């Protein structure tokens, strides 16, 4: 059993442009809540990891065991990169606005970076769950017997 990975097309480029526009709108707002920065940072992690993966991997048929390892590795990378991307966005917004009182204080950025092991583990566990669901989806159904 093998899986063919999709190619990046114009839809992926429109997704990147849309994400960039959302990021520019968020950067210009005077907002210091955590929810938008967490969503945008996680989105940056997902988009950049998957875009890099699909852009640099051959698009031949990938055997199922290799595909499952790729899914677990990719989701672990997404989980590990998300706190870094969130802290980076916090830093850029704070430096862009340059107020006397920063939008996101350094202690908050360090607190987000301290969550890196937990988010990496969460990404690994999500990847394992996706791999298990993929295997279960590929296995024959025994309810028809």
């Amino acid at each position: 059993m093998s899986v063919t990975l999709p190619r990046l097309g114009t839809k992926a480029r429109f997704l990147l442009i849309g994400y960039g526009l959302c990021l520019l709108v968020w950067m210009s707002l005077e907002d210091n809540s955590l929810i938008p920065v967490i969503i945008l940072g996680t989105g940056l992690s997902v988009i950049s990891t998957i875009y890099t993966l699909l852009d640099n991997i051959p698009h031949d048929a990938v055997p199922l065991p290799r595909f499952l390892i790729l899914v677990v590795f990719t989701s672990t990378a997404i989980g590990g990169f998300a706190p870094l991307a969130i802290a980076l966005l916090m830093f850029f917004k704070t430096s862009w606005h340059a107020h006397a009182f920063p939008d996101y204080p350094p202690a908050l950025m360090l607190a987000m970076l301290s969550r890196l092991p937990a988010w990496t583990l969460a990404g690994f566990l999500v990847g394992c769950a996706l791999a298990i669901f993929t295997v279960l989806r590929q296995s024959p159904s025994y309810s028809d017997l």
Side-chain angles (χ1 to χ4, degrees):
M1 175 104 2
S2 62
V3 178
T4 304
L5 297 175
R7 293 189 180 275
L8 293 172
T10 55
K11 291 179 184 178
R13 288 186 179 87
F14 285 129
L15 178 68
L16 288 174
I17 291 170
Y19 175 79
L21 290 174
C22 289
L23 197 60
L24 284 175
V25 167
W26 172 76
M27 289 287 280
S28 65
L29 295 176
E30 290 291 334
D31 179 36
N32 61 355
S33 62
L34 288 177
I35 299 297
V37 73
I38 289 172
I39 291 171
L40 288 170
T42 305
L44 177 64
S45 175
V46 169
I47 288 172
S48 63
T49 305
I50 291 179
Y51 196 89
T52 303
L53 175 80
L54 290 179
D55 200 32
N56 294 322
I57 223 168
H59 294 280
D60 301 332
V62 178
L64 187 61
R66 185 174 172 208
F67 175 73
L68 297 177
I69 292 170
L70 193 63
V71 166
V72 172
F73 174 74
T74 303
S75 63
T76 304
I78 288 170
F81 182 57
L84 297 173
I86 293 168
L88 190 69
L89 288 177
M90 286 178 174
F91 174 75
F92 279 131
K93 185 165 184 173
T94 300
S95 63
W96 179 313
H97 288 241
H99 299 301
F101 297 102
D103 292 337
Y104 301 104
L108 185 62
M109 291 181 220
L110 288 174
M112 184 54 67
L113 288 175
S114 72
R115 288 166 172 75
L116 189 123
W119 282 54
T120 305
L121 179 64
F124 174 75
L125 293 175
V126 167
C128 289
L130 288 173
I132 289 170
F133 287 138
T134 303
V135 168
L136 290 177
R137 195 171 141 218
Q138 299 293 329
S139 66
S141 175
Y142 294 107
S143 63
D144 297 333
L145 296 178

